[in-house]
Amino acid sequence: MPTMTIQNTLPIYRTIAVLRQTIKQWQGQGLRVALVPTMGALHAGHMALVTRALQLADRVIASVFVNPTQFGPQEDFASYPRRERQDSLLLAQTGAHGLYAPTVDEMYPAGFATAVIVGGPSEGLCGDFRPGHFSGVATVVTKLLLQSGVDAALFGEKDYQQLQVIRRLARDLDIPVTIEGVSTVRESDGLAMSSRNAYLTPAERAVAPTLHRTLAAMAGRLAAGDAIAPQVDWGKAQLLDAGFSAIDYLSVRDAVDLTALESVTGPARILAAAHLGKARLIDNVAVPAV
Ligand code: PAF
């Protein structure tokens, strides 16, 4: 029986000029184009973004760029997984039409001296623990949106603060693009999919779903009218008891501007970041309407 091989026929664009020309041509034919920005090491969570993008647009391009400006000096930029061939196969299988994979020099040529700084939703939460991170994200995402000129761009709710920062920058800078958030894709035990889950040992992996379980339990109780402060104390104790070594934050916020809440009276989100072994896990859940 002949073996079947899956061909990787996905075009890869390395330069801004080719990306722009390709997208302009499509848009000139009346086609709607969507971008799925990523840092690669793609998994089912990214594929959910591509699948949603295919519903919103006629052509979908994913970008893979491990963006140096959003990593702190002690963070994992050098060791961040890079596997372009695997990524492009997965994208081709899911139905994406192209992959934009620029070099660092293409994105940040010699003399590059500009940064996009978003206030508001960048402040607090991860903004307190990863100085410069959201400016790095905002700068590269602004560049990707302006380089591509796409009609829509999709981001996962897993990085909820990032999503709100990107919505704000697109609005504040009048970038004509629809920013679409897509629900977090979870493993069967509730752990949010993330390229960094690979850093967990088997024992840590068994503990990791406690994060989502705790946030989900808190959301249910807050929706039932429980007060925020005791729930936050309970949640922190749950995480530490389970084996998380430190909690950067566990906080209940306004779902749009991410300001801290004292009571839940409208759309709210519980966000957390906690350390487990070498991994720093983040997750968030919506508080169902009260
Ligand atoms: O979420 C990510 O993968 C990155 O932060 C993004 C949005 C692609 C910017 O580098």
Side-chain angles (χ1 to χ4, degrees):
M1 190 152 142
T3 51
M4 208 173 78
T5 48
I6 296 165
Q7 294 292 327
N8 176 12
T9 52
L10 199 68
I12 300 184
Y13 318 115
R14 301 278 177 204
T15 64
I16 300 161
V18 173
L19 174 80
R20 227 176 229 158
Q21 188 192 20
T22 305
I23 293 176
K24 252 201 169 134
Q25 214 165 29
W26 284 335
Q27 289 172 330
Q29 295 162 14
L31 300 175
R32 212 176 136 74
V33 186
L35 179 71
V36 176
T38 82
M39 296 206 300
L42 303 180
H43 50 65
H46 297 109
M47 293 312 111
L49 296 176
V50 173
T51 302
R52 177 70 185 132
L54 288 164
Q55 293 168 348
L56 294 178
D58 307 292
R59 294 287 181 273
V60 173
I61 288 185
S63 62
V64 169
F65 180 67
V66 184
N67 174 36
T69 64
Q70 69 186 77
F71 288 80
Q74 308 305 325
E75 294 184 355
D76 54 348
F77 173 68
S79 60
Y80 198 85
R82 290 161 172 85
R83 37 182 197 238
E84 184 179 286
R85 179 155 170 73
Q86 229 173 297
D87 287 347
S88 64
L89 270 170
L90 205 53
L91 288 166
Q93 285 164 10
T94 309
H97 299 89
L99 166 60
Y100 175 45
T103 60
V104 173
D105 285 345
E106 181 75 0
M107 196 58 92
Y108 298 113
F112 187 88
T114 299
V116 177
I117 295 172
V118 181
S122 289
E123 290 161 8
L125 305 171
C126 282
D128 283 344
F129 291 88
R130 303 185 70 189
H133 170 69
F134 285 121
S135 170
V137 169
T139 303
V140 82
V141 170
T142 301
K143 286 173 67 70
L144 287 167
L145 295 177
L146 296 178
Q147 289 169 356
S148 63
V150 284
D151 304 287
L154 293 91
F155 300 86
E157 286 187 349
K158 155 89 178 12
D159 297 294
Y160 192 81
Q161 188 176 13
Q162 167 176 282
L163 175 61
Q164 298 314 107
V165 169
I166 291 167
R167 286 191 202 282
R168 185 65 62 92
L169 79 83
R171 193 195 75 179
D172 288 356
L173 299 178
D174 308 307
I175 302 176
V177 64
T178 300
I179 302 296
E180 176 93 357
V182 176
S183 301
T184 303
V185 178
R186 299 183 181 281
E187 306 287 356
S188 57
D189 57 12
L191 177 65
M193 286 195 184
S194 163
S195 310
R196 289 185 169 115
N197 291 348
Y199 299 153
L200 297 169
T201 64
E204 291 158 0
R205 175 64 189 79
V207 168
T210 309
L211 180 56
H212 176 244
R213 262 203 305 275
T214 301
L215 299 189
M218 288 176 64
R221 291 190 202 134
L222 292 175
D226 282 21
I228 290 179
Q231 281 306 311
V232 168
D233 290 345
W234 175 83
K236 286 181 175 170
Q238 289 293 112
L239 297 179
L240 295 172
D241 283 353
F244 283 82
S245 56
I247 299 165
D248 283 353
Y249 58 82
L250 171 58
S251 190
V252 182
R253 299 285 170 129
D254 177 277
V256 175
D257 63 18
L258 300 183
T259 50
L261 295 177
E262 282 175 11
S263 61
V264 177
T265 52
R269 203 97 191 169
I270 310 173
L271 302 101
H275 295 261
L276 186 58
K278 277 194 272 176
R280 178 181 184 271
L281 302 183
I282 61 169
D283 204 347
N284 67 88
V285 299
V287 178
V290 179

